[in-house]
Structures are given as structure tokens and as C-alpha cells.
């Protein structure tokens, strides 16, 4: 089994910072791309950032310059450092991992999400 678990969400003031974590566990051969997505109430889930196994990143325009993604392949971890947070960043943040779990099998796995609330 492959498990994806996010953590680090919570309540933060506008302009504040928060750091999210994602850990992948289970019978894993390797992890390819990983990414963060978010979904606000009444909105479609949207792309935030993706990072390849080699560290190449691509950010949504809405978070460029404010969010920074990183990963630790040895620990099977991904992080999202969020700075200068705005109320419109309020959403449930989901971690996605593309995982090779057998020599011939690759799958896409999602965590259950962690809630980020930006409010005074």
C-alpha cells in the first residue's frame, strides 16, 4: 500500500507564513513528480506547484514569489513554504505523488488534505 499524508495546516494571519509537509510511505520503488493542489469551498481543485524528482519546479501564477516547494527524496518528503499569505489562499491543500510501486506499475496517489485558513 502507498500512503500520502499532509500536515502543517492551521490558522494564520494575513501576511503570515505557514509550512506544509507531505510524507509518502509504503512499498515504493521510486517517487516521480510530486505536487500541491488546493480547493476552496465552492471552487474547483486547482494546481499550486509541481516538483520533479530532480527538483525542477513549476508554480501557479497566483503563488509565484510567495510559495516555495522543496523535497527530500531520501525521506520521501515534500514541503511547501508559504509566505505573505492572503485570505484567498484559504483552502484545503492536497499532496499528490506519482509513485512507482512495482517494476511495471506506476500510480497517482493523493492525501486527504490539510486545511489552511488565512484570516484576522
Amino acid at each position: 500500500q502507498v500512503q500520502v499524508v499532509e500536515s502543517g495546516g492551521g490558522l494564520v494571519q494575513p501576511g503570515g507564513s505557514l509550512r506544509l509537509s507531505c510524507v509518502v510511505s509504503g512499498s515504493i520503488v521510486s517517487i516521480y513528480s510530486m505536487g500541491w493542489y488546493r480547493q476552496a469551498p465552492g471552487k474547483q481543485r486547482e494546481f499550486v506547484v509541481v516538483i520533479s524528482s530532480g527538483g525542477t519546479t513549476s508554480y501557479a501564477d497566483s503563488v509565484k514569489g510567495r510559495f516555495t516547494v522543496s523535497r527530500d527524496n531520501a525521506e520521501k518528503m515534500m514541503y511547501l513554504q508559504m509566505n505573505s499569505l492572503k485570505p484567498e489562499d484559504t483552502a484545503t491543500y492536497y499532496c499528490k505523488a506519482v509513485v512507482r510501486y512495482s517494476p511495471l506499475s506506476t500510480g497517482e496517489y493523493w492525501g486527504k488534505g490539510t486545511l489552511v485558513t488565512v484570516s484576522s
Side-chain angles (χ1 to χ4, degrees):
Q1 292 184 332
V2 176
Q3 294 81 227
V4 179
V5 180
E6 307 95 335
S7 62
L11 176 65
V12 65
Q13 303 260 21
S17 298
L18 208 58
R19 183 177 175 87
L20 306 183
S21 299
C22 172
V23 61
V24 183
S25 62
S27 298
I28 299 168
V29 177
S30 62
I31 303 174
Y32 296 121
S33 66
M34 301 181 73
W36 290 99
Y37 297 74
R38 66 187 184 186
Q39 187 169 24
K43 301 289 186 179
Q44 186 176 353
R45 186 174 298 187
E46 66 176 355
F47 165 81
V48 176
V49 62
V50 65
I51 182 168
S52 73
S53 60
T56 301
T57 60
S58 182
Y59 294 86
D61 288 341
S62 59
V63 305
K64 285 181 180 176
R66 300 188 298 121
F67 291 9
T68 303
V69 69
S70 60
R71 63 187 285 177
D72 184 335
N73 291 333
E75 299 296 329
K76 299 181 177 64
M77 296 283 292
M78 178 178 64
Y79 307 94
L80 184 65
Q81 179 64 47
M82 304 185 294
N83 299 325
S84 302
L85 283 162
K86 305 173 181 180
E88 50 262 47
D89 294 318
T90 295
T92 298
Y93 284 71
Y94 297 90
C95 174
K96 184 182 78 173
V98 179
V99 177
R100 180 173 294 282
Y101 56 89
S102 73
L104 298 176
S105 300
T106 300
E108 181 179 287
Y109 295 87
W110 291 84
K112 294 182 179 180
T114 185
L115 178 62
V116 172
T117 303
V118 184
S119 176
S120 298

